[in-house]
Amino acid sequence: MTTATRGPIDPAAHLARLRERAPLIHNITNLVAMNPMANVLLALGASPAMVHAREEAAEFAALADALTVNIGTLSPLWVEAMQEAAEAARLTGRPWVLDPVAVGATAYRRETGRRLLERRPTVIRGNASEILALEQQGSGGRGVDSSDPTEAAEQAAVALARRIDAVVAVTGEVDLVTDGRRLARIPGGHALMPRVTTLGCALTGVVAAFLVGAKDPFAASVAALACYGEAGRRAGEVANGPGSFAVAFLDALYALDHDQLATLPTLEVTDAP
Amino acid sequence: MTTATRGPIDPAAHLARLRERAPLIHNITNLVAMNPMANVLLALGASPAMVHAREEAAEFAALADALTVNIGTLSPLWVEAMQEAAEAARLTGRPWVLDPVAVGATAYRRETGRRLLERRPTVIRGNASEILALEQQGSGGRGVDSSDPTEAAEQAAVALARRIDAVVAVTGEVDLVTDGRRLARIPGGHALMPRVTTLGCALTGVVAAFLVGAKDPFAASVAALACYGEAGRRAGEVANGPGSFAVAFLDALYALDHDQLATLPTLEVTDAP
Amino acid sequence: MTTATRGPIDPAAHLARLRERAPLIHNITNLVAMNPMANVLLALGASPAMVHAREEAAEFAALADALTVNIGTLSPLWVEAMQEAAEAARLTGRPWVLDPVAVGATAYRRETGRRLLERRPTVIRGNASEILALEQQGSGGRGVDSSDPTEAAEQAAVALARRIDAVVAVTGEVDLVTDGRRLARIPGGHALMPRVTTLGCALTGVVAAFLVGAKDPFAASVAALACYGEAGRRAGEVANGPGSFAVAFLDALYALDHDQLATLPTLEVTDAP
């Protein structure tokens, strides 16, 4: 576990590190998210790769700089590959991020989520319904969209972070990150973001990219969400709807620079409740 | 079977119901369509979910408000999941829509299409070549794009609707909907629509979303096609090509409102020939 | 083998043939590329189809005008389908194009690449790292993005073309095409192209579309790359980032015409070293 510094977090410094390293991010993600996730990572300056066959997933995980596992569209062979890749990441000291899409919806998802938690993700990023479901609280939602506000998952997020010694990021209208000891709320984003599919899934890749070379996964996750939210805010200024928002969002991620990030309000870290 | 009213159909009322309910639409669709379909449904105001593992497809179908099954990119386990999800939808009284992509092209597709028809879809939406192939008429086309005009499939559509007691929607330059007793033609759309991949597949999801809570599947299907065509017409006014059309189309679906739909010509329903 | 004419190549004539025929292109491609590849082919004037089940892949390959095989996201059943489709294309005299994505990254990819080479692709299109890996030279790269400049792969490309009697196209900042006897360099493109995912994969489909009805696969490949690069150059003139680039690129492919191509510098063919 890292030192839990409580100083303000500077997203620009984290983004500069990401662009300097152009990390290779291995993603086992859902079939809807594959393309947007790759484009988001490329726009930001990372190098995405999607590799899911059991014949190579673990080998590739040990080659990449970080791994993401997203359970949005499951099937048995993929679930095995997810386990093996997560294990390879863990054994070789690489960060990995779990995205528990709709984890409460079916027995298969609950079981898959439970097994993946055992592989000790560095970060879990989900919406409020998903984080509540992982802690077996709340309705867990029906589909892939959250039926709970972020605040409703605050306690569950802190409990989950403590239970598995991970960072938990809950995204929604307001974003919240905790490592069980610290907590940060990140403003930004735009009302059109939930109207574009898999922007949450793509954010999971962005968190992984920010983790590479970071000393503090909590700070890196906060920085990732701050950059993403700021790009969303900027895209919202020029969008006419979800189609033009998706286009403007990629342009905004690409254009994100130190000056833009310097205008953000300082991200304050508090003690977790 | 519903009462076969022949009065004019008001797309705006159907769209208002969809947005009020934000129905959860379960899609087992092809790998090319997954992302655009999700974006189309989100832009319109529905909540899409893609779930295809046999381990959970039937369970999820009984949880969602409607199901779509699209045979564009087949594989054996998916075909089993399609069967099981369609059966679950049928048994729990949920509407489901079949999209028989390129059903005439190979023996595997013909067989899969035949088996899915046995599960009694509420609506079948295809292009003219696909509807002709389902009725074992015409060439059936070679690929996924129609090689027949809509009118050529009118008789086959009426026969198919009567044979399996379903609504059949044939889309192309002109759209046609029949339940075997009634028939409507829907103008609108734009010449760039066939130049953007899977807009037809995404429409299948839109039809499913309009079916939720509808008393008359025929009227709901007509309303879905009218809204889709109007969004296409509006997108065509600002597009420079298929790339900008796809973007403008999502914006237009999102912006579609009562005033825009009120300007549409009344959709007249006639007796099926 | 075709007559190795060394005269200048006219991309406009090749594009006109493609649009006249609207060839049906069968693609077994990766899950990230499926959608952009279909949109690129539709924008250009071809008809794409994605078919990967063993139950129908060979049957469909013999029905289509050309085949592409892309190893970006592998799994065992897909690898079998790739083999069978490639064999069907070869036996029925259809051109097929191999896209060896990240072929050097894992043992599974190296083995799959080796087996597919045995099926004698008409054209191989890859980045420099991939072509070097196929000839067992260089690092082979870690991920899907090239870690070598195009020039570094020139010798390997010529050797590979001679070894398997195919056309080899190496794409990157400068594109290079060789059939082992002739060599052409194609300028154009834009710095944003590698920031949009799977534009290289989509180009593989474009090469296949240009091969249909072409007497000289080398000239057809050069023409394909020239058209693609010109559309990229034009898109770059109006793009603000990778999001708007992707949109403008589809519009530019759609708008590509004789006049635009006539302004291109003549593509000179030299002897391969």
Side-chain angles (χ1 to χ4, degrees):
Chain A
M1 203 54 186
T2 56
T3 314
T5 53
R6 272 160 181 76
I9 294 162
D10 176 16
H14 286 268
L15 180 63
R17 185 187 66 241
L18 185 158
R19 290 196 170 141
E20 170 69 23
R21 295 179 75 118
L24 176 59
I25 310 301
H26 174 195
N27 307 290
I28 307 183
T29 191
N30 71 70
L31 299 168
V32 191
M34 289 217 170
N35 188 277
M37 192 176 191
N39 275 326
V40 158
L41 285 168
L42 285 170
L44 202 62
S47 177
M50 277 61 182
V51 176
H52 58 262
R54 287 189 70 184
E55 284 72 10
E56 59 175 353
E59 181 181 351
F60 198 85
L63 200 79
D65 295 309
L67 169 72
T68 73
V69 172
N70 174 306
I71 68 168
T73 54
L74 291 174
S75 59
L77 289 173
W78 286 52
V79 171
E80 295 312 311
M82 288 172 183
Q83 299 283 344
E84 293 169 16
E87 186 67 14
R90 200 173 66 87
L91 290 175
T92 59
R94 282 161 174 78
W96 79 275
V97 186
L98 172 63
D99 191 333
V101 177
V103 69
T106 65
Y108 189 45
R109 276 161 203 267
R110 286 188 291 273
E111 170 67 10
T112 302
R114 193 190 58 69
R115 287 178 63 196
L116 285 166
L117 280 188
E118 288 171 5
R119 307 288 173 170
R120 307 287 290 272
T122 316
V123 180
I124 302 164
R125 192 219 57 83
N127 65 36
S129 295
E130 291 155 357
I131 300 304
L132 285 164
L134 277 181
E135 275 301 285
Q136 295 165 313
Q137 298 174 3
S139 70
R142 279 200 315 164
V144 300
D145 299 315
S146 187
S147 48
D148 301 279
T150 303
E151 305 81 53
E154 184 177 305
Q155 276 196 311
V158 172
L160 179 60
R162 286 177 184 156
R163 178 159 70 88
I164 64 160
D165 193 14
V167 172
V168 176
V170 191
T171 56
E173 271 190 59
V174 176
D175 294 343
L176 177 157
V177 179
T178 181
D179 63 355
R181 294 168 293 163
R182 296 169 289 176
L183 192 145
R185 280 187 186 75
I186 302 102
H190 191 270
L192 281 170
M193 293 185 91
R195 294 296 196 114
V196 179
T197 195
T198 68
L199 284 193
C201 305
L203 170 54
T204 295
V206 170
V207 170
F210 274 79
L211 288 176
V212 176
K215 294 198 192 75
D216 180 357
F218 171 81
S221 300
V222 170
L225 270 57
C227 289
Y228 212 65
E230 174 63 8
R233 195 186 64 74
R234 287 179 175 264
E237 284 176 355
V238 297
N240 297 315
S244 48
F245 182 90
V247 171
F249 183 61
L250 289 172
D251 285 357
L253 283 171
Y254 178 75
L256 217 57
D257 64 16
H258 184 274
D259 288 354
Q260 294 176 359
L261 294 171
T263 65
L264 293 183
T266 306
L267 290 160
E268 294 300 342
V269 176
T270 61
D271 287 331
Chain B
M1 203 53 185
T2 56
T3 315
T5 52
R6 272 158 181 79
I9 292 162
D10 176 16
H14 286 268
L15 180 63
R17 186 187 64 243
L18 185 157
R19 289 195 171 144
E20 171 68 25
R21 296 179 74 118
L24 176 60
I25 310 301
H26 175 194
N27 307 291
I28 307 183
T29 191
N30 70 70
L31 299 169
V32 190
M34 290 219 169
N35 188 276
M37 191 177 192
N39 275 326
V40 159
L41 285 168
L42 285 170
L44 202 61
S47 177
M50 278 60 183
V51 176
H52 58 261
R54 287 190 71 184
E55 283 73 9
E56 59 174 352
E59 182 182 351
F60 199 84
L63 199 80
D65 295 309
L67 169 73
T68 73
V69 172
N70 175 305
I71 68 168
T73 53
L74 290 174
S75 59
L77 289 173
W78 286 52
V79 171
E80 295 312 311
M82 289 172 182
Q83 298 283 344
E84 293 170 15
E87 186 66 13
R90 200 172 66 87
L91 290 176
T92 59
R94 280 160 174 81
W96 81 274
V97 186
L98 173 64
D99 190 333
V101 177
V103 69
T106 66
Y108 188 45
R109 276 160 203 269
R110 286 188 290 273
E111 170 66 10
T112 301
R114 193 190 58 69
R115 288 178 62 196
L116 285 166
L117 279 188
E118 288 171 5
R119 307 286 172 170
R120 308 287 291 272
T122 315
V123 180
I124 302 164
R125 192 219 58 82
N127 65 36
S129 295
E130 291 155 357
I131 300 303
L132 285 164
L134 278 182
E135 277 298 287
Q136 295 165 313
Q137 297 174 4
S139 70
R142 277 200 315 164
V144 300
D145 301 314
S146 188
S147 49
D148 301 279
T150 303
E151 305 81 54
E154 182 177 304
Q155 277 195 309
V158 172
L160 179 60
R162 287 178 183 156
R163 177 159 70 89
I164 63 159
D165 194 14
V167 172
V168 176
V170 191
T171 56
E173 271 190 57
V174 177
D175 295 342
L176 177 156
V177 179
T178 180
D179 63 356
R181 295 168 291 163
R182 296 169 289 176
L183 192 146
R185 281 188 184 75
I186 301 102
H190 191 270
L192 281 170
M193 292 185 90
R195 293 297 194 115
V196 179
T197 195
T198 68
L199 284 194
C201 304
L203 171 54
T204 295
V206 171
V207 171
F210 274 79
L211 288 176
V212 177
K215 293 197 193 77
D216 181 355
F218 171 81
S221 301
V222 170
L225 271 58
C227 289
Y228 212 66
E230 174 63 8
R233 197 186 62 74
R234 288 180 175 264
E237 285 176 354
V238 298
N240 297 316
S244 47
F245 183 89
V247 171
F249 183 61
L250 289 172
D251 285 356
L253 283 172
Y254 178 75
L256 216 58
D257 65 16
H258 184 274
D259 287 355
Q260 292 176 0
L261 295 170
T263 65
L264 294 182
T266 306
L267 290 158
E268 294 299 342
V269 176
T270 62
D271 287 332
Chain C
M1 205 52 187
T2 56
T3 316
T5 53
R6 273 160 181 77
I9 292 162
D10 175 16
H14 286 268
L15 179 63
R17 185 187 65 242
L18 184 157
R19 289 196 171 143
E20 171 70 23
R21 297 180 74 119
L24 175 60
I25 309 301
H26 174 195
N27 307 290
I28 306 184
T29 190
N30 70 70
L31 299 169
V32 191
M34 289 219 169
N35 187 276
M37 191 177 193
N39 275 326
V40 158
L41 286 168
L42 285 170
L44 201 63
S47 178
M50 277 59 183
V51 176
H52 58 261
R54 288 189 70 185
E55 283 73 11
E56 59 175 353
E59 182 182 352
F60 199 84
L63 200 79
D65 295 309
L67 169 72
T68 73
V69 171
N70 174 306
I71 68 168
T73 54
L74 290 174
S75 59
L77 289 173
W78 286 52
V79 171
E80 294 312 311
M82 289 172 182
Q83 299 283 343
E84 293 170 16
E87 185 67 13
R90 199 171 67 88
L91 289 176
T92 60
R94 282 159 174 80
W96 79 275
V97 185
L98 172 64
D99 190 333
V101 176
V103 69
T106 65
Y108 189 45
R109 277 161 202 268
R110 287 188 290 274
E111 169 67 10
T112 302
R114 193 190 57 70
R115 287 178 63 196
L116 285 165
L117 280 187
E118 289 171 5
R119 307 287 172 168
R120 307 288 291 271
T122 316
V123 180
I124 302 164
R125 191 218 59 82
N127 65 36
S129 294
E130 291 155 357
I131 300 304
L132 285 163
L134 277 181
E135 277 299 286
Q136 296 165 312
Q137 298 174 2
S139 70
R142 278 201 316 164
V144 299
D145 300 314
S146 186
S147 48
D148 301 279
T150 303
E151 305 80 54
E154 182 176 305
Q155 277 195 311
V158 172
L160 179 61
R162 287 176 182 155
R163 178 160 70 89
I164 63 160
D165 194 14
V167 171
V168 175
V170 191
T171 57
E173 271 191 59
V174 176
D175 295 343
L176 176 156
V177 179
T178 181
D179 63 355
R181 294 167 294 163
R182 297 168 289 177
L183 192 145
R185 281 187 185 76
I186 302 103
H190 191 270
L192 281 170
M193 293 185 91
R195 294 296 195 115
V196 180
T197 194
T198 68
L199 284 194
C201 305
L203 171 54
T204 295
V206 171
V207 170
F210 273 78
L211 289 176
V212 176
K215 293 197 193 76
D216 181 356
F218 171 80
S221 301
V222 169
L225 270 59
C227 289
Y228 212 66
E230 174 62 8
R233 196 186 63 73
R234 289 180 173 263
E237 285 176 355
V238 297
N240 298 316
S244 48
F245 183 90
V247 171
F249 183 62
L250 289 172
D251 286 356
L253 283 171
Y254 179 75
L256 217 57
D257 65 16
H258 184 273
D259 287 354
Q260 293 176 359
L261 295 170
T263 65
L264 294 182
T266 306
L267 291 158
E268 294 300 341
V269 176
T270 62
D271 287 332

